[in-house]
Amino acid sequence: MKDVLIYTSDGCSFCHAAKDFFDKNNVEYTEKNVSTDKDARKELMAKGHMGVPVIVIGEEELVGFDEAKVKEALGM
């Protein structure tokens, strides 16, 4: 299984949907909340992103939550 990292914020409904998807499908992930973690916010901005969620699966970065694209990146 590929490493999964998700950048989130507290009020982001798409972030919650992505995490719910991962939980329901037993996908382990690391969460970095840009609302509470200044370093995560800087890291995300350095990647050229201003919004969340940004989901990193292996080497692939997905902006937003598109279940079909996430499944494809995970090989599901």
Side-chain angles (χ1 to χ4, degrees), residues 33-51:
N33 187 323
V34 300
S35 298
T36 57
D37 184 340
K38 290 180 184 178
D39 291 333
R41 186 177 319 129
K42 289 178 187 175
E43 200 176 288
L44 185 63
M45 290 171 69
K47 291 177 175 286
H49 303 294
M50 296 297 290

Side-chain angles (χ1 to χ4, degrees), residues 61-74:
E61 287 185 11
L62 305 171
V63 178
F65 175 59
D66 180 324
E67 187 174 322
K69 287 183 180 179
V70 169
K71 283 182 174 180
E72 183 180 331
L74 289 169

Side-chain angles (χ1 to χ4, degrees), residues 2 27 32 41 50 75:
K2 297 177 183 175
V27 175
K32 292 192 177 186
R41 186 177 319 129
M50 296 297 290

Side-chain angles (χ1 to χ4, degrees), residues 2-65:
K2 297 177 183 175
D3 288 336
V4 177
L5 169 65
I6 182 170
Y7 292 91
T8 65
S9 67
D10 291 335
C12 170
S13 61
F14 292 106
C15 300
H16 292 290
K19 294 189 299 180
D20 287 345
F21 170 81
F22 292 144
D23 291 340
K24 288 177 185 170
N25 289 280
N26 298 314
V27 175
E28 290 185 26
Y29 62 92
T30 301
E31 178 180 5
K32 292 192 177 186
N33 187 323
V34 300
S35 298
T36 57
D37 184 340
K38 290 180 184 178
D39 291 333
R41 186 177 319 129
K42 289 178 187 175
E43 200 176 288
L44 185 63
M45 290 171 69
K47 291 177 175 286
H49 303 294
M50 296 297 290
V52 289
V54 173
I55 303 168
V56 182
I57 300 172
E59 298 296 316
E60 188 173 353
E61 287 185 11
L62 305 171
V63 178
F65 175 59

